[in-house]
Amino acid sequence: MRAVVAAALALFAVAVAVAFAARARAWNDELALVPAPLERLLPARVDDPHTPRLARRVVVVVIDGLGAGESMLPFLDELRARGVGAVARVSYPSISRPNYVTILSGVPPRDSGVRTNLVHAPPGVDTVMDRAHAAGMRVATASDYGSLASLFGRRRDGVDAFDDVDRADSLDELGADLAATLRGDHFTDDVDRLLRADAVHGELARLLAGERAGDAELIAILALDVDRAGHAHGVGDAYRAAAAAVDRMLRGALAGFDYARDTVVVTADHGHVPPGGHGGLEDETMHVPLILAGAGVVPGAAPRDPRTIDVAPTVAALLGVAPPGHAEGRALVEVLQLAPADAARRAAGDAERVHAVTAVTDAAAAADDASRPEPGRLAAAAAVLALALVLALALRRSGAVALSPRSLAGVTGFVAMLVAVAIVLGGRASPSYVPTLARAELAGGIGAGVAIALHVVASLLAVRRARDPLAAASGAAIVGLGMTIGTIAVVRAWESPPFVDVPSPFWFVAVPSLELAVATAAAGTTIALVVTLSRARSLARAS
């Protein structure tokens, strides 16, 4: 009987380890909200205030990972002196693709539904690309990673939004030299090259001059190398060298830029904490440069509390088109050369749209908050704990399980894995301190290995002096599995999909960490039970 119970617990522990390891890996997928409240509850509110067009062409440059504190670069400073230089606040979570969407749609990640980098299809919210195309304008994108083309190359209805630009929105169509230089042959976490300005700016300058994208009136450019350097090396020499290289590349590419007729907007999706990372609410990650220079910009003007959600409405105002219909930002009319009546009309339209949009999104978030914790999940958590207790008592009465204070050895791996995560994060519960994927998997693998080893050792030591080691091992298994699964079940009553509000930085890392810790404890439990079973069989044969 004791051997059967121990074997059954070992098989159950294997299933738990596999299931919770998979859940931990799927956390990022759970964060996406499809459809987002704006798509589901409100059609795009496209109200054109019909203000004059201020710029023939607008170029939006997103320097991925460039924080405001590290953006004092020679060419960017020249653009500031020529036009407007400010610090803008990023929308949480401070992650790249969600904030590409924010910059070009005016919709923060909470409401766009795009919360992680595991997004490749166009968002379901209206963008400034859509508005420009609807006004008959040509649109092009260029990046060293291709993200902009995949995110903004199609409208929500599936119709190709860039069909009249000869597909100049992808790097392949921008020429082999540009693709090879910007994107490189391989993408890795390590930075062993920088943007080679001499090779890049000629091709990019031709793009801006219309030789590569026809007469595109809206061009979005993404440079990723600063972010790569930040992840690989932290905010240090390599990071600053990458930023300087992008600055030089932009100087060369914009050497012939017609500031009298065209406008350039430079910003970033997030900054980096000193060790290299982002995603949380730290000042370094949440503040980025916002620079506007050229036609339609009042030199030296100061925007009021600028945010990256204000970029898309401001670009729309420069082009004289309607702002994105889901935008929650406003046109920064105080820095634009608009007549007072036109500025007031833009501002009034923005205020009316923002009021309507935020009423919908706030209502959706409030309804979501009211439903948490989920009673069903709380009941399930209580049922798990009650079942574990009843099972433990019943088996204890039958003699198949022995319970004692030493049974708490069954949670060793759970605790050890959480300690390992805290060490990896440096004691900071924020996604900004999660290493890059390759390093996170390495660190997580090492931590899990150590935690499993500690769990096995603690479990075997706990049963070594027991009168019945097999029953004691089963007792530790039931206590450990019951407590750890019950803990994550309670947490999941609060933090479970669909996530209308983005989880806080703490829960952003705590939920997958807890699930990984459950998987680790279950793996350790399996090994401890198998070893104890093997010893019991050996003793039985010897006797």
Side-chain angles (χ1 to χ4, degrees):
M1 176 65 174
R2 293 191 298 275
V4 171
V5 170
L9 286 170
L11 290 174
F12 178 68
V14 169
V16 169
V18 171
F20 278 92
R23 284 187 65 106
R25 288 183 62 87
W27 168 246
N28 281 344
D29 294 328
E30 292 184 6
L31 292 173
L33 187 63
V34 180
L38 288 181
E39 300 177 60
R40 187 172 62 244
L41 301 176
L42 185 73
R45 184 188 179 94
V46 181
D47 296 325
D48 191 347
H50 299 290
T51 58
R53 185 171 180 174
L54 303 177
R56 179 189 61 168
R57 170 179 296 156
V58 177
V59 177
V60 180
V61 180
V62 179
I63 305 177
D64 196 312
L66 183 65
E70 301 294 331
S71 68
M72 300 304 164
L73 300 160
F75 182 62
L76 294 190
D77 285 344
E78 290 179 20
L79 291 178
R80 289 184 177 97
R82 181 188 290 271
V84 170
V87 174
R89 184 169 177 82
V90 169
S91 295
Y92 171 77
S94 51
I95 298 175
S96 294
R97 291 195 182 203
N99 278 289
Y100 301 161
V101 174
T102 296
I103 290 167
L104 291 170
S105 71
V107 183
R110 185 193 78 160
D111 302 328
S112 71
V114 181
R115 281 85 177 274
T116 73
N117 284 331
L118 301 179
V119 177
H120 303 282
V125 294
D126 202 30
T127 71
V128 71
M129 323 289 248
D130 295 321
R131 294 303 98 223
H133 185 265
M137 297 180 182
R138 295 172 179 261
V139 179
T141 72
S143 77
D144 54 349
Y145 192 47
S147 302
L148 296 183
S150 62
L151 280 175
F152 300 103
R154 290 195 172 278
R155 292 189 187 186
R156 294 185 304 281
D157 57 9
V159 176
D160 191 345
F162 300 150
D163 54 357
D164 57 351
V165 192
D166 195 24
R167 301 304 301 166
D169 54 295
S170 73
L171 286 179
D172 291 338
E173 280 73 41
L174 293 179
D177 290 342
L178 180 61
T181 305
L182 284 175
R183 185 167 57 195
D185 295 328
H186 302 284
F187 173 73
T188 65
D189 288 327
D190 295 326
V191 178
D192 54 12
R193 56 153 186 87
L194 301 176
L195 289 173
R196 294 187 288 277
D198 291 341
V200 173
H201 70 70
E203 292 292 332
L204 192 52
R206 282 190 283 277
L207 166 66
L208 300 180
E211 297 176 25
R212 291 287 186 178
D215 295 320
E217 288 111 324
L218 174 59
I219 301 175
I221 298 170
L222 169 67
L224 196 70
D225 266 10
V226 177
D227 187 59
R228 290 180 177 132
H231 282 298
H233 304 291
V235 180
D237 292 343
Y239 176 94
R240 296 184 181 99
V246 172
D247 188 66
R248 290 193 300 272
M249 180 270 290
L250 289 175
R251 179 190 294 278
L254 296 173
F257 195 73
D258 188 350
Y259 291 96
R261 295 195 294 170
D262 301 334
T263 309
V264 60
V265 179
V266 181
T267 189
D269 51 346
H270 58 76
H272 275 262
V273 294
H278 53 88
L281 288 165
E282 298 81 8
D283 285 344
E284 302 97 322
T285 68
M286 294 294 290
H287 292 94
V288 297
L290 177 60
I291 302 168
L292 301 91
V297 177
V298 179
R304 296 189 302 273
D305 300 321
R307 304 154 297 172
T308 53
I309 60 173
D310 298 327
V311 172
T314 302
V315 170
L318 286 165
L319 291 173
V321 301
H326 294 123
E328 297 178 37
R330 67 180 183 90
L332 300 172
V333 294
E334 62 272 25
V335 304
L336 302 181
Q337 294 176 351
L338 286 169
D342 293 326
R345 196 158 57 253
R346 275 275 169 186
D350 285 342
E352 185 178 356
R353 183 194 65 254
V354 170
H355 178 76
V357 169
T358 55
V360 171
T361 57
D362 289 348
D368 183 59
D369 289 342
S371 68
R372 298 179 189 273
E374 296 183 25
R377 289 182 179 270
L378 279 179
V384 168
L385 294 173
L387 179 62
L389 179 60
V390 170
L391 181 63
L393 293 175
L395 292 174
R396 180 185 185 188
R397 186 170 298 178
S398 71
V401 166
L403 297 174
S404 72
R406 285 180 292 183
S407 300
L408 290 173
V411 299
T412 302
F414 181 80
V415 174
M417 190 66 228
L418 293 180
V419 171
V421 170
I423 292 172
V424 170
L425 297 179
R428 304 174 181 90
S430 168
S432 296
Y433 292 91
V434 176
T436 55
L437 180 60
R439 287 188 287 164
E441 289 181 344
L442 176 62
I446 293 172
V450 172
I452 290 171
L454 290 172
H455 185 104
V456 172
V457 169
S459 297
L460 295 179
L461 287 175
V463 305
R464 184 178 63 175
R465 296 182 181 179
R467 181 179 302 175
D468 188 336
L470 199 53
S474 295
I478 289 178
V479 169
L481 292 171
M483 291 181 66
T484 57
I485 296 174
T487 298
I488 192 61
V490 171
V491 168
R492 279 300 198 165
W494 272 270
E495 300 296 332
S496 59
F499 291 101
V500 175
D501 262 331
V502 186
S504 69
F506 174 81
W507 290 116
F508 211 101
V509 297
V511 171
S513 298
L514 285 167
E515 290 180 334
L516 182 59
V518 173
T520 300
T525 295
T526 302
I527 296 172
L529 285 169
V530 169
V531 170
T532 306
L533 275 167
S534 178
R535 285 181 177 177
R537 286 187 178 182
S538 298
L539 290 174
R541 289 174 183 172
S543 61

